Amino acid sequence: MWSVKESERGSGVVAGQEDCIMARPRAASSWPRVLHPSYYLRRPRRLLVLVVFFVGTTFLLWDRHNLIQNHESTLAKINEQKEKLTHKLEELAKYLKGEGKTFQLDGEDESSSKTAQQGKSEQEGVEKEIEDPITEYRRSQVKAAMQHAWSSYEKYAWGFDELQPQSRRGVNHFGGLGATIIDSLDTLYIMGLQTEFNKARDWVAENLHFNKNYDASVFETTIRVLGGLLSAYDLTAEKMFLTKAKEIADRLLPAWDTRTGIPYTTINLDSGRAHNPGWTGGSSVLADLGTEQVEFIGLSQRTGDPKYKQKVENVIKQLRKIFPKDGLLPIYISADNGQPTTGKITFGAMGDSFYEYLLKVWIQGNKTEVVKHYREMWEQSMEGIMGLVSKSTPSGYTFLAERSGSTLYNKMDELACFAPGMLALGTEGAPPEKAEKYLTLAKELTRTCYNFYMSTPTKLAGENYQFYDGQDMQVGTPWNILRPETVESLMYVWRKTGDSKYRDWGWDIFQAFEKQSRTPTGYVGLRNVRTGEKDDMMQSFFVAETLKYFYLLYSPSSVIPLDKWVFNTEAHPLRIIPRVDEPISLEDTPEGKDSSMQIKSGSTQYLRQRRINPGGR
Ligand code: DMJ
């Protein structure tokens, strides 16, 4: 259209007709003149005004847009908080209902309808009486979960090692030693389930026999059976438990009769013949040979017989000979010559609890001079761990990589999620800067492990995770077998920091177990945490560890206080007994030089001083 008018103008007009000509395009065009580029191009001031107008408007719109976005994200956060609070209030209401009290979510509670003074004093009274009702409610739910797990086992698998809830029958994976009963003893006792505990105790007294023609794992039998019996003895002072503990330890002892004293992994409980299986290439496993010290030292302390502790402490002596500067040992060690047979280093499967026990033997011995070298070795390993610390992208999750030789692999097992708890526990006794470093790493790893759970559709963690650039964490092996490590760490980090966020995280995980793993006949694992497909096994560590750590997460720290008790790697608490009277011998001396009399005096002192303080009952 403009071109038509221009051509008209160009066709020649006579003077005096200009006004008319000027008016023509205005009148004839349906476009206002201000939209014509020439309107601005011919007058720079107009152009300037236009530019200023555009810039100003764009800025204003951008600013408004940002404001709206900020407003929306604040609203989303408030809504999220509101959801959480509503959820907590619902839990509180449920709890109070169970207690025969009422609580209205959308109005004032009953006490406020009375006179102001009456209302105030009653309110204070109720608060005092309830004392964090949410925590109490959560604890009661965990206890109910234990009752369900236990009664299912009792009904379908009594006397067997473990329950297969879907098949409704028992199976023996530990030689038929009633692993679930032994693993449950202290959990039942701590939770105050006395009737159930009594039945378990009677079974141990009458039916637990070890003369089985069965190739048992020395490690599994030590941490579950020996550890469970010692813990039951410490909690109840019933001699029968100690007698049984001694019986099984005596059957395991021949496993240490090797050239170096480093134990074989497997032993026949009946014949005492020990060997290493083919899948280790004939070597012993670090997490096995280095995770028997707490139980065997504990047994020597309680019986006064040094032979148990001598076997396991000699192993540490052997490991000191090959202990590298960074304190990280490969997962396979030859029992013949004491040398590593692989370069693989991990805080996950087959490495994990060796590091845990370096710290725990030091705590178990009450941090005295006799056990100082354990602490030193642990500190050395914690220097080494820093070399495995890596960060995911884009979200910066801290994780512990694995190493083979000098190559790092960006993979972490859920099993390695015990490490944050260990680091939190190890802050005691460390100089301030180190303690801070340990705690910072502990908190960061706890966040990662929590996200192992929260990042899957079922909210249960896979067995391990791969970390790829730009993708944070991806489930590797997809099963979940009710493992405890993350809950264990939540308990330690909660006790160390007092930050209630860890209790809330634990609750998210507990609810996921309730939703995904609870069946009418017990708790099962998942074959795949992405799909929720169930397996058919209630692992005995679910009752020994997972549920116990949940229970302690929602209990006051005075229940099994950490300055009086030390948990073995299967979560069986053993009483801390100072090792002050024993001679220090780190050199290669023939066994038997340590004085049993000296141990006996420590042991007798312990028996005299013993105070049981399980609490929570
Ligand atoms: C338990 O038997 C122990 O915690 C052990 O140290 C590692 N594996 C299981 C639990 O996952």
Side-chain angles (χ1 to χ4, degrees):
M1 249 172 128
W2 281 106
S3 58
V4 174
K5 300 302 168 197
E6 287 295 308
S7 65
E8 277 176 1
R9 240 195 292 172
S11 67
V13 285
V14 290
Q17 284 183 322
E18 196 178 341
D19 278 358
C20 176
I21 292 164
M22 289 300 283
R24 267 171 64 205
R26 272 202 305 266
S29 169
S30 59
W31 287 89
R33 156 175 92 101
V34 291
L35 294 181
H36 195 292
S38 62
Y39 178 77
Y40 301 98
L41 292 174
R42 271 185 275 148
R43 302 271 178 90
R45 233 182 296 157
R46 283 183 189 163
L47 185 63
L48 186 69
V49 170
L50 185 70
V51 170
V52 170
F53 172 75
F54 268 120
V55 171
T57 312
T58 312
F59 176 76
L60 205 73
L61 288 175
W62 175 78
D63 187 50
R64 291 297 93 182
H65 176 72
N66 272 359
L67 211 71
I68 290 169
Q69 265 194 336
N70 285 347
H71 181 66
E72 278 173 353
S73 102
T74 313
L75 258 180
K77 276 186 197 149
I78 292 173
N79 275 335
E80 200 182 305
Q81 293 295 331
K82 195 187 122 204
E83 292 265 296
K84 278 192 181 164
L85 279 174
T86 311
H87 184 64
K88 284 189 176 186
L89 284 170
E90 278 166 7
E91 285 180 1
L92 177 60
K94 261 195 252 165
Y95 171 77
L96 288 175
K97 204 172 164 201
E99 294 284 296
K101 295 169 189 145
T102 55
F103 182 77
Q104 290 159 339
L105 284 179
D106 51 355
E108 295 190 324
D109 69 24
E110 283 187 334
S111 60
S112 60
S113 65
K114 297 175 185 166
T115 65
Q117 211 187 348
Q118 243 186 339
K120 195 168 173 248
S121 59
E122 276 193 14
Q123 192 71 15
E124 280 165 3
V126 168
E127 269 165 21
K128 224 174 172 186
E129 181 198 322
I130 295 171
E131 209 195 312
D132 190 1
I134 291 175
T135 305
E136 240 182 87
Y137 168 70
R138 289 173 175 175
R139 187 166 67 237
S140 71
Q141 293 301 102
V142 174
K143 186 170 170 177
M146 179 65 192
Q147 283 170 307
H148 178 61
W150 176 258
S151 59
S152 304
Y153 168 80
E154 212 181 355
K155 189 162 177 193
Y156 300 111
W158 186 249
F160 284 88
D161 283 329
E162 288 172 317
L163 165 68
Q164 288 190 314
Q166 314 251 47
S167 314
R168 302 181 184 198
R169 64 168 186 224
V171 277
N172 286 330
H173 288 153
F174 298 99
L177 304 181
T180 295
I181 297 179
I182 303 176
D183 256 352
S184 293
L185 283 165
D186 50 14
T187 306
L188 294 170
Y189 192 84
I190 290 166
M191 289 184 179
L193 295 167
Q194 199 60 48
T195 313
E196 292 85 343
F197 173 83
N198 289 345
K199 185 167 175 184
R201 182 211 41 219
D202 292 348
W203 183 89
V204 171
E206 288 154 26
N207 300 294
L208 180 59
H209 305 294
F210 303 112
N211 53 337
K212 313 267 181 185
N213 181 12
Y214 176 75
D215 279 351
S217 156
V218 179
F219 160 76
E220 297 290 0
T221 314
T222 298
I223 66 169
R224 295 181 203 227
V225 181
L226 179 54
L229 292 169
L230 285 176
S231 184
Y233 172 64
D234 275 9
L235 289 167
T236 63
E238 284 191 44
K239 198 77 199 290
M240 176 273 294
F241 289 123
L242 186 60
T243 309
K244 295 277 179 190
K246 203 173 152 330
E247 267 176 53
I248 185 62
D250 286 336
R251 284 182 185 268
L252 295 176
L253 273 186
W256 277 263
D257 294 339
T258 63
R259 270 194 218 143
T260 56
I262 288 173
Y264 288 133
T265 294
T266 311
I267 190 165
N268 186 287
L269 291 179
D270 191 37
S271 68
R273 263 196 307 275
H275 69 281
N276 278 335
W279 60 266
T280 65
S283 297
S284 298
V285 175
L286 179 67
D288 289 13
L289 61 96
T291 314
E292 287 137 354
Q293 283 65 20
V294 167
E295 295 81 0
F296 280 78
I297 292 170
L299 186 59
S300 279
Q301 288 181 305
R302 284 151 187 80
T303 58
D305 187 340
K307 73 178 175 202
Y308 307 106
K309 78 170 190 102
Q310 281 166 355
K311 295 280 187 200
V312 292
E313 298 217 277
N314 170 57
V315 175
I316 301 301
K317 229 185 268 179
Q318 300 306 319
L319 296 182
R320 278 169 66 87
K321 293 181 192 165
I322 55 161
F323 208 54
K325 235 177 160 190
D326 66 4
L328 303 180
L329 279 173
I331 57 169
Y332 294 135
I333 311 253
S334 162
D336 287 338
N337 59 26
Q339 293 302 313
T341 59
T342 174
K344 184 172 173 185
I345 279 157
T346 176
F347 274 76
M350 292 190 275
D352 48 10
S353 41
F354 160 66
Y355 304 101
E356 178 187 342
Y357 269 29
L358 288 179
L359 178 68
K360 287 187 171 173
V361 174
W362 177 72
I363 293 172
Q364 176 189 36
N366 210 23
K367 310 170 183 175
T368 57
E369 193 65 21
V370 184
V371 282
K372 198 169 134 224
H373 59 291
Y374 286 93
R375 173 78 198 200
E376 286 165 357
M377 288 172 81
W378 183 77
E379 295 262 351
Q380 219 171 311
S381 305
M382 291 310 101
E383 285 306 308
I385 208 176
M386 300 299 169
L388 304 179
V389 172
S390 310
K391 293 260 182 200
S392 77
T393 57
S395 312
Y397 284 103
T398 303
F399 65 96
L400 295 177
E402 299 186 342
R403 207 180 81 195
S404 199
S406 56
T407 311
L408 282 183
Y409 294 91
N410 291 337
K411 178 206 157 217
M412 180 172 164
D413 289 346
E414 194 282 337
L415 280 165
C417 287
F418 85 95
M422 173 188 69
L423 283 157
L425 187 64
T427 55
E428 302 298 324
E433 338 75 68
K434 266 197 184 174
E436 204 188 313
K437 206 160 114 183
Y438 296 158
L439 192 59
T440 304
L441 180 56
K443 287 184 200 165
E444 288 177 9
L445 289 172
T446 306
R447 172 177 169 256
T448 305
C449 292
Y450 172 62
N451 203 56
F452 282 176
Y453 284 77
M454 292 304 118
S455 58
T456 73
T458 55
K459 305 279 177 252
L460 287 181
E463 178 73 354
N464 55 48
Y465 284 79
Q466 300 284 348
F467 294 81
Y468 300 111
D469 281 350
Q471 292 181 43
D472 286 327
M473 54 192 76
Q474 301 287 325
V475 173
T477 307
W479 69 62
N480 177 298
I481 56 169
L482 306 167
R483 286 197 191 279
E485 291 74 17
T486 301
V487 189
E488 171 183 356
S489 283
L490 286 169
M491 191 278 290
Y492 281 110
V493 178
W494 148 253
R495 283 206 179 180
K496 183 72 206 165
T497 63
D499 186 342
S500 62
K501 148 177 105 184
Y502 298 111
R503 280 181 157 172
D504 293 340
W505 289 1
W507 189 240
D508 291 337
I509 297 173
F510 179 76
Q511 284 177 305
F513 277 126
E514 287 290 290
K515 189 166 172 208
Q516 305 291 339
S517 295
R518 190 178 171 122
T519 74
T521 49
Y523 288 83
V524 294
L526 299 186
R527 288 205 175 90
N528 192 328
V529 294
R530 296 191 199 98
T531 63
E533 188 198 347
K534 292 176 169 48
D535 72 15
D536 190 16
M537 182 62 68
M538 190 170 86
Q539 306 279 343
S540 80
F541 52 66
F542 182 64
V543 286
E545 297 190 71
T546 315
L547 291 179
K548 187 186 287 139
Y549 284 132
F550 270 130
Y551 188 81
L552 294 175
L553 180 62
Y554 302 117
S555 298
S557 303
S558 53
V559 180
I560 313 291
L562 296 175
D563 58 341
K564 303 226 163 27
W565 298 83
V566 63
F567 290 94
N568 86 338
T569 195
E570 189 78 0
H572 297 306
L574 299 191
R575 185 89 180 172
I576 291 171
I577 304 170
R579 295 181 64 188
V580 285
D581 298 337
E582 299 165 56
I584 313 165
S585 82
L586 295 175
E587 304 314 314
D588 257 342
T589 49
E591 288 182 335
K593 282 260 171 83
D594 294 350
S595 158
S596 67
M597 283 312 291
Q598 285 168 313
I599 297 163
K600 264 179 192 151
S601 72
S603 171
T604 314
Q605 189 190 11
Y606 149 69
L607 289 172
R608 248 187 277 122
Q609 284 181 348
R610 188 153 64 148
R611 294 279 178 280
I612 307 300
N613 181 27
R617 293 179 301 121

